[in-house]
Amino acid sequence: MKIAVIQGPNLNMLGIREKHIYGPMSLEQIHEQMKASAEQNNVELEFFQSNLEGEIVDRIQECLGEVEGIIINPAAYSHTSIAIKDALSAVNLPVVEVHISNIYKREEFRQKSITASASTGVISGFGPFGYHLGLISLMQMITEIKAVQEANDSKEQ
Ligand code: DQA
């Protein structure tokens, strides 16, 4: 099973930026932890971070036929980007949107996520552990999708 992990703008600054909100862990450390639990479950992760909206759209499009699901923290673009929402809808893969902070108890402009409407589920407010929760949830979703597909395939034969 292959999963893409896509990180939006300023997440490369984790561990430095607003530690009282996002905590002390760097993005690399978060990815190392994810890699460890993915390996235990025979899952391959492909990590990508960009500060540029178009690059994130390109990366999402590349996921088609390459991975079985996406974990994404679109960061500030969650609140503004119809382009990222449309790209997620276009590839039609299971998607978990992760936010380190609880966006629903922050400024009003953060309380709406445009991209969440193209996501299967959203995890928000559990700190970096949210990525782990995202990984577990996505693995489960992909397993269920595959089971349904296999059942349908065997009915057709
Ligand atoms: C964030 C929340 C966003 O509002 C913010 O712009 C971020 C990080 C989070 O993970 O909590 O950059 O997505």
Coordinates of all heavy atoms in Angstrom, one line a residue, residues 31-121:
H31 N 7.7 13.1 10.3 CA 7.7 12.2 9.2 C 8.5 10.9 9.6 O 8.1 9.8 9.1 CB 8.4 12.8 7.9 CG 7.5 13.8 7.2 ND1 7.9 14.6 6.2 CD2 6.2 14.2 7.5 CE1 6.9 15.4 5.8 NE2 5.9 15.1 6.6
E32 N 9.5 11.0 10.4 CA 10.2 9.8 10.9 C 9.3 8.9 11.7 O 9.3 7.7 11.5 CB 11.4 10.2 11.8 CG 12.7 10.7 11.0 CD 13.1 9.7 9.9 OE1 13.1 8.5 10.2 OE2 13.3 10.1 8.8
Q33 N 8.5 9.5 12.5 CA 7.5 8.8 13.3 C 6.5 8.1 12.4 O 6.1 6.9 12.7 CB 6.8 9.7 14.3 CG 7.6 10.0 15.6 CD 6.8 10.6 16.7 OE1 5.6 11.0 16.5 NE2 7.3 10.8 17.8
M34 N 6.0 8.8 11.4 CA 5.0 8.2 10.5 C 5.7 7.0 9.8 O 5.0 6.0 9.6 CB 4.6 9.3 9.5 CG 3.7 10.4 10.1 SD 3.2 11.6 8.8 CE 1.8 10.7 8.1
K35 N 6.9 7.2 9.3 CA 7.6 6.2 8.6 C 7.7 4.9 9.4 O 7.5 3.8 8.9 CB 9.0 6.7 8.2 CG 9.4 6.4 6.8 CD 10.8 6.6 6.5 CE 11.2 8.0 6.0 NZ 12.6 8.2 5.8
A36 N 8.0 5.1 10.7 CA 8.2 3.9 11.6 C 6.9 3.2 11.7 O 6.9 1.9 11.5 CB 8.7 4.4 13.0
S37 N 5.8 3.8 11.9 CA 4.5 3.1 12.0 C 4.0 2.6 10.6 O 3.4 1.5 10.5 CB 3.4 3.8 12.8 OG 3.1 5.0 12.1
A38 N 4.4 3.3 9.6 CA 4.0 2.8 8.2 C 4.8 1.5 7.9 O 4.2 0.5 7.4 CB 4.3 3.8 7.2
E39 N 6.1 1.5 8.2 CA 6.9 0.3 7.9 C 6.3 -1.0 8.7 O 6.3 -2.1 8.1 CB 8.3 0.5 8.3 CG 9.1 1.1 7.2 CD 10.4 1.7 7.6 OE1 10.9 1.3 8.7 OE2 11.0 2.5 6.9
Q40 N 5.9 -0.8 9.9 CA 5.3 -1.9 10.7 C 4.1 -2.5 10.0 O 3.7 -3.6 10.2 CB 4.9 -1.4 12.1 CG 6.1 -1.3 13.0 CD 5.7 -0.6 14.3 OE1 4.5 -0.4 14.6 NE2 6.7 -0.3 15.2
N41 N 3.4 -1.6 9.2 CA 2.2 -2.0 8.5 C 2.4 -2.3 7.0 O 1.4 -2.3 6.3 CB 1.1 -1.0 8.7 CG 0.6 -0.9 10.2 OD1 -0.1 -1.8 10.6 ND2 1.1 0.1 10.9
N42 N 3.6 -2.4 6.6 CA 3.9 -2.6 5.2 C 3.4 -1.5 4.3 O 2.9 -1.8 3.2 CB 3.4 -3.9 4.7 CG 4.3 -5.1 5.1 OD1 5.5 -4.9 5.1 ND2 3.7 -6.2 5.5
V43 N 3.4 -0.3 4.8 CA 2.9 0.8 4.0 C 4.1 1.7 3.6 O 5.0 2.0 4.4 CB 1.9 1.7 4.8 CG1 1.5 3.0 4.0 CG2 0.6 0.9 5.1
E44 N 4.0 2.1 2.3 CA 5.1 3.0 1.8 C 4.6 4.5 1.8 O 3.5 4.7 1.3 CB 5.5 2.6 0.4 CG 6.8 3.1 -0.1 CD 7.0 2.7 -1.5 OE1 6.7 1.5 -1.9 OE2 7.5 3.5 -2.3
L45 N 5.3 5.4 2.4 CA 4.9 6.8 2.4 C 5.7 7.6 1.5 O 6.9 7.4 1.4 CB 5.0 7.4 3.8 CG 4.1 6.7 4.9 CD1 4.3 7.4 6.2 CD2 2.6 6.8 4.5
E46 N 5.1 8.5 0.8 CA 5.8 9.5 -0.1 C 5.6 10.9 0.4 O 4.4 11.4 0.4 CB 5.3 9.4 -1.5 CG 5.8 8.1 -2.2 CD 5.4 8.0 -3.7 OE1 4.8 9.0 -4.2 OE2 5.8 7.0 -4.3
F47 N 6.6 11.5 0.9 CA 6.5 12.8 1.6 C 6.7 14.0 0.6 O 7.6 13.9 -0.3 CB 7.5 13.0 2.7 CG 7.2 12.0 3.8 CD1 8.0 10.8 3.9 CD2 6.2 12.1 4.7 CE1 7.8 9.9 4.9 CE2 6.0 11.2 5.7 CZ 6.8 10.1 5.8
F48 N 5.9 15.0 0.8 CA 6.1 16.2 -0.1 C 5.7 17.4 0.7 O 4.6 17.4 1.4 CB 5.2 16.1 -1.3 CG 5.2 17.3 -2.2 CD1 6.2 17.4 -3.2 CD2 4.2 18.2 -2.2 CE1 6.2 18.5 -4.0 CE2 4.2 19.3 -3.0 CZ 5.2 19.5 -3.9
Q49 N 6.5 18.5 0.6 CA 6.1 19.8 1.3 C 6.3 20.9 0.3 O 7.3 20.9 -0.4 CB 6.9 20.0 2.5 CG 6.4 21.2 3.4 CD 7.0 22.6 2.9 OE1 8.0 22.7 2.3 NE2 6.2 23.6 3.1
S50 N 5.4 21.8 0.2 CA 5.6 23.0 -0.7 C 4.9 24.2 -0.1 O 3.8 24.1 0.6 CB 5.1 22.7 -2.1 OG 5.2 23.9 -2.8
N51 N 5.5 25.4 -0.3 CA 4.9 26.6 0.1 C 4.0 27.2 -1.1 O 3.4 28.3 -0.9 CB 5.9 27.6 0.5 CG 6.7 27.1 1.7 OD1 6.1 26.6 2.6 ND2 8.0 27.4 1.8
L52 N 4.0 26.5 -2.2 CA 3.3 27.0 -3.4 C 2.1 26.2 -3.8 O 2.1 25.0 -3.9 CB 4.3 27.0 -4.6 CG 5.7 27.7 -4.4 CD1 6.5 27.6 -5.6 CD2 5.4 29.2 -4.1
E53 N 1.0 27.0 -3.9 CA -0.3 26.3 -4.2 C -0.3 25.5 -5.5 O -0.7 24.3 -5.4 CB -1.3 27.5 -4.4 CG -2.8 27.0 -4.5 CD -3.8 28.1 -4.6 OE1 -3.4 29.3 -4.9 OE2 -4.9 27.9 -4.3
G54 N 0.3 26.0 -6.6 CA 0.3 25.2 -7.8 C 1.1 23.9 -7.7 O 0.8 22.9 -8.3
E55 N 2.2 24.0 -6.9 CA 3.0 22.8 -6.8 C 2.2 21.7 -6.0 O 2.4 20.5 -6.2 CB 4.3 23.1 -6.0 CG 5.3 23.8 -6.9 CD 6.7 23.9 -6.2 OE1 6.9 23.5 -5.0 OE2 7.6 24.5 -6.8
I56 N 1.4 22.2 -5.1 CA 0.6 21.2 -4.3 C -0.5 20.6 -5.2 O -0.8 19.4 -5.2 CB -0.1 21.9 -3.1 CG1 1.1 22.3 -2.1 CG2 -1.1 21.0 -2.4 CD1 0.6 23.2 -1.0
V57 N -1.1 21.5 -6.1 CA -2.1 21.0 -7.1 C -1.4 19.9 -8.0 O -1.9 18.8 -8.2 CB -2.6 22.1 -7.9 CG1 -3.4 21.6 -9.1 CG2 -3.5 23.0 -7.0
D58 N -0.2 20.2 -8.5 CA 0.6 19.3 -9.3 C 0.8 18.0 -8.6 O 0.6 16.9 -9.2 CB 1.9 19.8 -9.7 CG 1.8 20.9 -10.8 OD1 0.7 21.0 -11.5 OD2 2.8 21.7 -11.0
R59 N 1.2 18.0 -7.3 CA 1.5 16.8 -6.6 C 0.3 16.0 -6.4 O 0.3 14.7 -6.5 CB 2.1 17.2 -5.2 CG 2.5 16.0 -4.4 CD 3.6 15.2 -5.0 NE 3.8 13.9 -4.4 CZ 3.4 12.7 -4.9 NH1 2.8 12.7 -6.1 NH2 3.5 11.6 -4.3
I60 N -0.9 16.6 -6.1 CA -2.1 15.9 -5.9 C -2.5 15.2 -7.3 O -2.9 14.0 -7.3 CB -3.3 16.8 -5.5 CG1 -3.0 17.4 -4.1 CG2 -4.6 16.1 -5.5 CD1 -3.9 18.5 -3.6
Q61 N -2.3 15.9 -8.4 CA -2.7 15.3 -9.7 C -1.8 14.0 -9.9 O -2.2 13.0 -10.5 CB -2.5 16.3 -10.8 CG -3.6 17.4 -10.8 CD -3.5 18.3 -11.9 OE1 -2.6 18.1 -12.8 NE2 -4.3 19.4 -11.9
E62 N -0.5 14.1 -9.6 CA 0.4 13.0 -9.8 C 0.1 11.8 -9.0 O 0.5 10.7 -9.2 CB 1.9 13.5 -9.4 CG 2.6 14.3 -10.4 CD 3.8 15.0 -9.7 OE1 4.2 14.6 -8.6 OE2 4.3 16.0 -10.3
C63 N -0.8 12.0 -7.9 CA -1.1 10.9 -7.1 C -2.0 9.8 -7.8 O -2.0 8.7 -7.4 CB -1.9 11.4 -5.9 SG -0.9 12.2 -4.6
L64 N -2.7 10.3 -8.9 CA -3.5 9.4 -9.6 C -2.8 8.2 -10.2 O -1.8 8.4 -10.9 CB -4.2 10.2 -10.7 CG -5.5 9.7 -11.3 CD1 -6.6 9.5 -10.2 CD2 -6.0 10.6 -12.4
G65 N -3.2 7.0 -9.8 CA -2.5 5.8 -10.3 C -1.2 5.5 -9.7 O -0.5 4.5 -10.0
E66 N -0.8 6.4 -8.7 CA 0.5 6.2 -8.1 C 0.4 5.8 -6.6 O 1.2 5.0 -6.1 CB 1.3 7.6 -8.2 CG 2.8 7.5 -7.9 CD 3.4 8.8 -7.5 OE1 3.3 9.7 -8.3 OE2 3.8 8.9 -6.3
V67 N -0.6 6.4 -6.0 CA -0.8 6.0 -4.5 C -2.3 5.7 -4.3 O -3.2 6.0 -5.2 CB -0.5 7.2 -3.6 CG1 1.0 7.6 -3.7 CG2 -1.4 8.4 -3.8
E68 N -2.6 5.1 -3.2 CA -4.0 4.7 -2.9 C -4.8 5.6 -2.0 O -6.0 5.5 -1.8 CB -4.0 3.3 -2.3 CG -3.7 2.2 -3.4 CD -3.2 0.9 -2.7 OE1 -2.0 0.8 -2.3 OE2 -4.1 0.0 -2.6
G69 N -4.0 6.6 -1.5 CA -4.7 7.5 -0.6 C -3.8 8.7 -0.3 O -2.6 8.6 -0.5
I70 N -4.4 9.8 0.3 CA -3.6 11.0 0.6 C -3.8 11.5 2.0 O -5.0 11.5 2.4 CB -4.0 12.1 -0.4 CG1 -3.7 11.7 -1.9 CG2 -3.3 13.4 -0.1 CD1 -4.3 12.7 -2.9
I71 N -2.7 11.8 2.7 CA -2.8 12.5 3.9 C -2.4 13.9 3.6 O -1.3 14.1 3.1 CB -1.9 11.9 5.0 CG1 -2.4 10.5 5.4 CG2 -1.9 12.8 6.3 CD1 -1.5 9.7 6.3
I72 N -3.2 14.9 3.9 CA -2.8 16.3 3.5 C -3.1 17.3 4.6 O -4.1 17.2 5.3 CB -3.5 16.7 2.2 CG1 -3.0 18.1 1.7 CG2 -5.0 16.8 2.3 CD1 -3.4 18.5 0.3
N73 N -2.1 18.1 4.9 CA -2.3 19.3 5.7 C -2.1 20.5 4.8 O -1.0 20.9 4.5 CB -1.3 19.4 6.9 CG -1.7 20.6 7.8 OD1 -2.4 21.5 7.4 ND2 -1.1 20.6 9.0
P74 N -3.2 21.0 4.2 CA -3.0 22.1 3.3 C -2.6 23.4 4.0 O -2.5 24.5 3.3 CB -4.4 22.3 2.6 CG -5.2 21.0 3.0 CD -4.6 20.6 4.3
A75 N -2.5 23.4 5.3 CA -2.2 24.6 6.1 C -3.0 25.8 5.8 O -4.3 25.6 5.6 CB -0.7 24.8 6.0
A76 N -2.5 27.0 5.5 CA -3.3 28.2 5.3 C -4.1 28.0 4.1 O -5.2 28.6 4.0 CB -2.4 29.4 5.2
Y77 N -3.7 27.2 3.1 CA -4.5 27.0 1.9 C -5.8 26.3 2.1 O -6.7 26.4 1.3 CB -3.7 26.3 0.8 CG -2.6 27.0 0.1 CD1 -1.3 26.5 -0.1 CD2 -2.8 28.4 -0.2 CE1 -0.3 27.2 -0.7 CE2 -1.8 29.1 -0.8 CZ -0.5 28.5 -1.1 OH 0.5 29.2 -1.7
S78 N -5.9 25.7 3.3 CA -7.2 25.0 3.6 C -8.3 26.0 3.6 O -9.5 25.7 3.2 CB -7.2 24.5 5.1 OG -6.0 23.8 5.3
H79 N -8.0 27.3 4.0 CA -9.0 28.3 4.2 C -9.3 29.1 2.9 O -10.1 30.0 2.9 CB -8.6 29.2 5.4 CG -8.0 28.5 6.5 ND1 -8.8 27.5 7.2 CD2 -6.8 28.5 7.1 CE1 -8.0 27.0 8.2 NE2 -6.8 27.6 8.1
T80 N -8.4 28.9 1.9 CA -8.5 29.8 0.7 C -8.6 29.0 -0.6 O -9.0 29.6 -1.6 CB -7.3 30.7 0.7 OG1 -6.1 29.9 0.5 CG2 -7.2 31.6 1.9
S81 N -8.1 27.8 -0.7 CA -7.8 27.2 -2.0 C -8.8 26.4 -2.6 O -9.0 25.2 -2.3 CB -6.5 26.5 -1.9 OG -6.2 26.0 -3.2
I82 N -9.6 27.0 -3.6 CA -10.5 26.2 -4.4 C -9.7 25.2 -5.3 O -10.1 24.1 -5.6 CB -11.5 27.1 -5.2 CG1 -12.3 27.9 -4.2 CG2 -12.4 26.3 -6.1 CD1 -13.1 29.0 -4.8
A83 N -8.5 25.7 -5.7 CA -7.7 24.9 -6.7 C -7.3 23.6 -6.0 O -7.3 22.5 -6.6 CB -6.5 25.7 -7.1
I84 N -6.9 23.6 -4.7 CA -6.5 22.4 -4.0 C -7.7 21.5 -3.8 O -7.7 20.3 -4.0 CB -5.7 22.7 -2.7 CG1 -4.4 23.3 -3.1 CG2 -5.5 21.5 -1.9 CD1 -3.5 23.8 -1.9
K85 N -8.8 22.1 -3.4 CA -10.1 21.4 -3.2 C -10.4 20.6 -4.5 O -10.8 19.5 -4.6 CB -11.2 22.3 -2.8 CG -12.5 21.6 -2.6 CD -13.6 22.1 -3.5 CE -14.9 21.4 -3.4 NZ -14.9 20.2 -4.2
D86 N -10.4 21.4 -5.7 CA -10.7 20.8 -7.0 C -9.8 19.6 -7.3 O -10.2 18.6 -7.9 CB -10.7 21.8 -8.1 CG -12.0 22.7 -8.0 OD1 -12.9 22.4 -7.3 OD2 -12.0 23.8 -8.7
A87 N -8.5 19.8 -7.1 CA -7.5 18.7 -7.4 C -7.8 17.5 -6.6 O -7.8 16.4 -7.1 CB -6.1 19.2 -7.1
L88 N -8.2 17.7 -5.3 CA -8.5 16.5 -4.4 C -9.8 15.8 -5.0 O -9.8 14.6 -5.0 CB -8.7 17.0 -3.0 CG -7.5 17.4 -2.2 CD1 -7.8 18.0 -0.9 CD2 -6.5 16.2 -2.0
S89 N -10.7 16.6 -5.4 CA -12.0 16.0 -5.9 C -11.7 15.3 -7.2 O -12.2 14.2 -7.5 CB -13.0 17.1 -6.2 OG -13.4 17.8 -5.1
A90 N -10.8 15.9 -8.0 CA -10.5 15.3 -9.4 C -9.8 13.9 -9.3 O -10.2 13.0 -10.0 CB -9.5 16.2 -10.1
V91 N -8.9 13.7 -8.3 CA -8.3 12.4 -8.3 C -9.1 11.3 -7.6 O -8.9 10.1 -7.8 CB -6.9 12.5 -7.6 CG1 -5.9 13.3 -8.4 CG2 -7.0 13.0 -6.1
N92 N -10.1 11.8 -6.8 CA -11.1 10.8 -6.3 C -10.5 9.7 -5.5 O -10.9 8.5 -5.7 CB -12.0 10.3 -7.4 CG -13.3 9.7 -6.9 OD1 -13.8 10.0 -5.9 ND2 -13.8 8.7 -7.7
L93 N -9.5 10.0 -4.7 CA -8.9 9.0 -3.8 C -9.4 9.3 -2.3 O -9.8 10.4 -2.0 CB -7.4 9.2 -3.8 CG -6.7 8.8 -5.1 CD1 -5.2 9.4 -5.1 CD2 -6.6 7.3 -5.3
P94 N -9.2 8.3 -1.4 CA -9.5 8.6 0.0 C -8.5 9.6 0.5 O -7.3 9.5 0.3 CB -9.4 7.3 0.7 CG -8.7 6.3 -0.3 CD -8.9 6.9 -1.7
V95 N -9.0 10.6 1.2 CA -8.2 11.7 1.7 C -8.4 12.0 3.1 O -9.6 12.1 3.5 CB -8.4 13.0 0.9 CG1 -7.6 14.2 1.5 CG2 -8.2 12.9 -0.6
V96 N -7.4 12.1 3.9 CA -7.5 12.5 5.3 C -6.8 13.9 5.4 O -5.6 14.0 5.1 CB -6.9 11.6 6.3 CG1 -7.1 12.1 7.8 CG2 -7.6 10.2 6.3
E97 N -7.6 14.9 5.8 CA -7.0 16.2 6.1 C -6.6 16.3 7.6 O -7.5 16.0 8.4 CB -8.1 17.3 5.7 CG -7.5 18.7 6.0 CD -8.4 19.8 5.4 OE1 -8.8 19.7 4.2 OE2 -8.7 20.8 6.1
V98 N -5.4 16.7 7.8 CA -4.9 16.8 9.2 C -4.6 18.2 9.5 O -3.9 18.9 8.7 CB -3.6 15.9 9.3 CG1 -3.0 16.1 10.7 CG2 -3.9 14.4 9.1
H99 N -5.0 18.7 10.7 CA -4.5 20.0 11.2 C -3.9 19.7 12.6 O -4.6 19.0 13.4 CB -5.7 21.0 11.3 CG -6.2 21.4 10.0 ND1 -5.5 22.2 9.2 CD2 -7.3 21.0 9.3 CE1 -6.2 22.3 8.0 NE2 -7.3 21.6 8.1
I100 N -2.8 20.2 12.8 CA -2.1 20.0 14.1 C -2.9 20.7 15.2 O -3.2 20.2 16.3 CB -0.7 20.6 14.0 CG1 0.1 19.8 13.0 CG2 0.0 20.5 15.4 CD1 1.5 20.4 12.6
S101 N -3.3 21.9 14.9 CA -4.1 22.7 15.9 C -5.6 22.4 15.7 O -6.0 21.9 14.7 CB -3.8 24.2 15.8 OG -4.3 24.7 14.5
N102 N -6.4 22.8 16.7 CA -7.9 22.7 16.6 C -8.3 24.0 15.9 O -8.5 25.0 16.5 CB -8.5 22.5 17.9 CG -10.0 22.4 17.8 OD1 -10.6 22.6 16.7 ND2 -10.7 22.1 18.9
I103 N -8.6 23.9 14.6 CA -8.9 25.1 13.8 C -10.2 25.7 14.2 O -10.5 26.9 14.0 CB -8.9 24.8 12.3 CG1 -9.8 23.7 11.8 CG2 -7.5 24.5 11.8 CD1 -10.0 23.6 10.3
Y104 N -11.1 24.9 14.9 CA -12.4 25.3 15.3 C -12.4 26.2 16.5 O -13.4 26.8 16.9 CB -13.4 24.1 15.4 CG -13.4 23.3 14.2 CD1 -12.7 22.1 14.0 CD2 -14.1 23.8 13.0 CE1 -12.7 21.4 12.8 CE2 -14.1 23.2 11.8 CZ -13.4 22.0 11.7 OH -13.4 21.3 10.6
K105 N -11.3 26.2 17.2 CA -11.2 27.1 18.4 C -10.2 28.2 18.2 O -9.7 28.8 19.1 CB -11.1 26.4 19.7 CG -9.8 25.7 20.0 CD -9.8 25.2 21.4 CE -8.4 24.7 21.8 NZ -8.4 24.0 23.1
R106 N -9.9 28.5 16.9 CA -8.9 29.6 16.6 C -9.6 30.7 16.0 O -10.8 30.9 16.1 CB -7.8 29.0 15.8 CG -7.0 27.9 16.5 CD -5.7 27.5 15.8 NE -4.8 28.6 15.6 CZ -3.8 28.5 14.8 NH1 -3.6 27.4 14.0 NH2 -2.9 29.5 14.7
E107 N -8.9 31.6 15.3 CA -9.5 32.8 14.7 C -10.6 32.3 13.7 O -10.6 31.2 13.1 CB -8.5 33.6 13.8 CG -7.3 34.1 14.6 CD -6.1 33.2 14.4 OE1 -6.3 31.9 14.5 OE2 -5.0 33.7 14.3
E108 N -11.6 33.2 13.5 CA -12.7 32.9 12.7 C -12.3 32.4 11.3 O -12.9 31.5 10.7 CB -13.7 34.1 12.6 CG -15.1 33.6 12.4 CD -16.1 34.7 12.4 OE1 -15.8 35.8 13.1 OE2 -17.1 34.6 11.7
F109 N -11.3 33.1 10.7 CA -10.9 32.8 9.3 C -10.3 31.4 9.2 O -10.2 30.8 8.1 CB -9.9 33.8 8.7 CG -8.6 33.9 9.4 CD1 -7.6 33.1 9.0 CD2 -8.4 34.8 10.4 CE1 -6.3 33.1 9.6 CE2 -7.1 34.9 11.1 CZ -6.1 34.0 10.7
R110 N -9.9 30.8 10.3 CA -9.4 29.4 10.3 C -10.5 28.3 10.4 O -10.2 27.2 10.3 CB -8.3 29.2 11.3 CG -7.1 30.0 11.1 CD -6.0 29.6 12.2 NE -5.1 30.7 12.3 CZ -4.0 30.9 11.6 NH1 -3.7 30.1 10.6 NH2 -3.2 31.9 11.8
Q111 N -11.7 28.8 10.8 CA -12.7 27.8 11.2 C -13.4 27.2 10.1 O -14.1 26.2 10.3 CB -13.7 28.5 12.2 CG -13.0 28.8 13.5 CD -13.9 29.6 14.5 OE1 -15.1 29.6 14.3 NE2 -13.3 30.2 15.5
K112 N -13.1 27.7 8.9 CA -13.7 27.1 7.7 C -12.6 26.5 6.8 O -11.6 27.2 6.5 CB -14.5 28.1 6.9 CG -15.0 27.5 5.6 CD -16.3 28.0 5.1 CE -16.8 27.4 3.8 NZ -16.9 25.9 3.8
S113 N -12.7 25.2 6.5 CA -11.7 24.6 5.6 C -12.4 24.3 4.2 O -13.4 23.5 4.2 CB -11.2 23.3 6.1 OG -10.5 22.6 5.1
I114 N -12.0 25.0 3.2 CA -12.6 24.7 1.8 C -12.1 23.3 1.4 O -12.9 22.6 0.8 CB -12.0 25.8 0.9 CG1 -12.7 27.2 1.2 CG2 -12.3 25.5 -0.6 CD1 -12.1 28.4 0.4
T115 N -10.9 23.0 1.6 CA -10.4 21.7 1.1 C -11.0 20.5 1.8 O -11.1 19.4 1.3 CB -8.8 21.6 1.4 OG1 -8.5 22.0 2.7 CG2 -8.1 22.6 0.4
A116 N -11.5 20.7 3.1 CA -12.1 19.6 3.8 C -13.3 19.0 3.1 O -13.7 17.9 3.3 CB -12.5 20.1 5.2
S117 N -14.0 19.9 2.3 CA -15.2 19.4 1.6 C -14.8 18.3 0.5 O -15.7 17.6 0.0 CB -16.0 20.5 0.9 OG -15.2 21.2 0.0
A118 N -13.5 18.2 0.2 CA -13.1 17.2 -0.8 C -12.3 16.1 0.0 O -11.7 15.2 -0.7 CB -12.1 17.8 -1.8
S119 N -12.4 16.1 1.3 CA -11.7 15.1 2.1 C -12.7 14.1 2.6 O -13.8 14.4 2.8 CB -10.9 15.7 3.2 OG -10.1 16.7 2.8
T120 N -12.2 12.8 2.8 CA -13.0 11.8 3.4 C -13.3 12.1 4.8 O -14.4 12.0 5.3 CB -12.4 10.4 3.2 OG1 -11.8 10.4 1.9 CG2 -13.4 9.3 3.4
G121 N -12.2 12.5 5.5 CA -12.4 12.9 7.0 C -11.3 13.9 7.4 O -10.3 14.1 6.6

